[in-house]
Amino acid sequence: MKVNWTGFSKKTRLERLDFLAQKGLLSKEKEEFLAKNETLPLNVAEQMAENTLASLALPYALVPDFLVNGQTYQVPFVTEEPSVVAAASFAAKIIKRSGGFNSLVHERQMIGQVALYQVPDQLEARKKILSAQAELLDLANAAYPSILKRGGGARSLWVESKEDFLLVYLSLDSQEAMGANMLNTMLEALSPELERLSQGQSLMAILSNYATNSLVTATCEVDLRYLSRNKEEAQEIAQKMELASRLAQIDPYRASTHNKGIFNGIDALVLATGNDWRAIEAGAHTYAARSGQYRGLSKWTLDPDQRKLRGELTLPMPIASKGGSIGLNPTVEASFELLGQPQARELASIIVAVGLAQNFAALKALVTTGIQAGHMKLQAKSLALQAGAQQEEIAPLVKELIAGKNFNLQAAKENLEKLREK
Ligand code: HMG
């Protein structure tokens, strides 16, 4: 069904929920649940963390109409930061008009390691471990047989010497789960046998968040006419965005902020889907530093014929659609419903596309009006609505508030009265 999203941000919260239900994007049950805003029952909170006192709430918002691999998604965001949702919505809108995002999941396996030390002969130990590879994989799978029934399991094992450590890596197909528990169980089961084979000691057995076997790439091509109606200005904006992306490759101070902007969107969606955002952040920041210098994760390049701005973002995305707190938290269930119940690979594709969208909006704002203009406009808009401005009164009132640099409700009300007297 084709949905017209114009004006979605101007509706009230309950109108938005009703709109989603009317369009068949949210069940009646979840509409009522979100309307009541009883986000996390305390008995569930107590299952999730120890010494629970209460639960801390954050805004749960929606970025509509996100086109990824030809499919439209309604994307839930959990964020405390103003303008993140507006920026992602803005980018989603422009990029949809330009054909949307393409996302490619290169592979989806988790990696873990057993770190051996005091190994008397690393070369000999490596040989023994590699020749016992098939038995070791069987041993790992025997420690967590349920994943085999689901079509997953331990897939490969390799060994690396790093100084006085002999590191044994295991790669796991965890299917829809993130796989941390599975992998840790398997690695701990392997440790005694690895100690025997290597004649060394196991220091630790743990998954790695540097999930290089779970890389996802999102790309998009933005038609320059959507950057500005003026052709020359559009080209200048695109050139500056390309420069901004180069700057993030060169300067770690800029790279850090550039990537923070990407994570404004990624974290918001990872949180909304009940996933472990620390794991996703840790993996991505390590990936950003893989060359030995911390760099921007995305790249923007202008086509040689200067008609399209091409964006690309690659990062590890070992996301889950099952397990952890996902099945416990009823708001997370609403997120999966809004997203159309994606499987893990599909969700990973959406998340990386969201990161690219967020980066697009931030860079465009930075190289044009600057970041503060958008913030002030949003603040003024929300004050105008709170002051009771009607649709046609919003734009002139926002203009007055920005010109007066007086961002409070009293000023909004006074300016609205003056506008009405004119
Ligand atoms: P604008 O062009 O003034 O927006 O941009 P507009 O009022 O013309 O509206 C255009 C569309 O934007 C709307 O279409 C919505 O899709 C969306 P419509 O619905 O009207 O057909 N939109 C909104 N959606 C929901 N609620 C709203 C809303 N307003 C617009 N209230 C905008 C305004 C804020 C989008 C723009 O200035 C922008 O993208 N700014 C960037 C903001 C940003 O990146 N914020 C993140 C926080 S800053 C940060 O932490 C990251 C950073 O440091 C990263 C880095 O350095 O790389 C910047």
Side-chain angles (χ1 to χ4, degrees), residues 9 81 83 90 93 254 260 264 366 377-378 381:
S9 65
E81 190 170 1
S83 86
F90 166 72
K93 191 168 141 179
R254 176 57 207 152
K260 186 271 180 189
N264 276 339
L366 285 169
K377 193 170 160 190
L378 284 178
K381 242 190 207 173

Side-chain angles (χ1 to χ4, degrees), residues 206-222:
I206 189 76
L207 99 159
S208 168
N209 291 120
Y210 190 29
T212 48
N213 284 356
S214 294
L215 292 181
V216 178
T217 298
T219 56
C220 66
E221 286 186 344
V222 185

Side-chain angles (χ1 to χ4, degrees), residues 38 60 89 102 127 136-137 149 181-182 185 206 211 218-219 227 247-248 273 359 378 393 399:
E38 286 169 359
Y60 180 80
S89 307
N102 282 315
K127 240 190 267 165
L136 289 166
L137 290 178
K149 286 193 209 120
N181 279 335
M182 278 175 220
T185 305
I206 189 76
T219 56
L227 294 181
L247 175 61
T273 56
N359 181 235
L378 284 178
E393 293 169 327
K399 213 170 151 194

Side-chain angles (χ1 to χ4, degrees), residues 75-96:
V75 183
F77 264 35
V78 172
T79 181
E80 87 300 346
E81 190 170 1
S83 86
V84 166
V85 172
S89 307
F90 166 72
K93 191 168 141 179
I94 286 196
I95 294 169
K96 183 177 184 186

Side-chain angles (χ1 to χ4, degrees), residues 44-89:
V44 179
E46 284 186 282
Q47 275 183 61
M48 289 181 180
E50 305 72 37
N51 294 353
T52 298
L53 301 176
S55 64
L56 179 143
L58 287 172
Y60 180 80
L62 190 84
V63 177
D65 218 16
F66 226 97
L67 186 63
V68 185
N69 294 339
Q71 171 108 20
T72 305
Y73 296 96
Q74 316 317 327
V75 183
F77 264 35
V78 172
T79 181
E80 87 300 346
E81 190 170 1
S83 86
V84 166
V85 172
S89 307

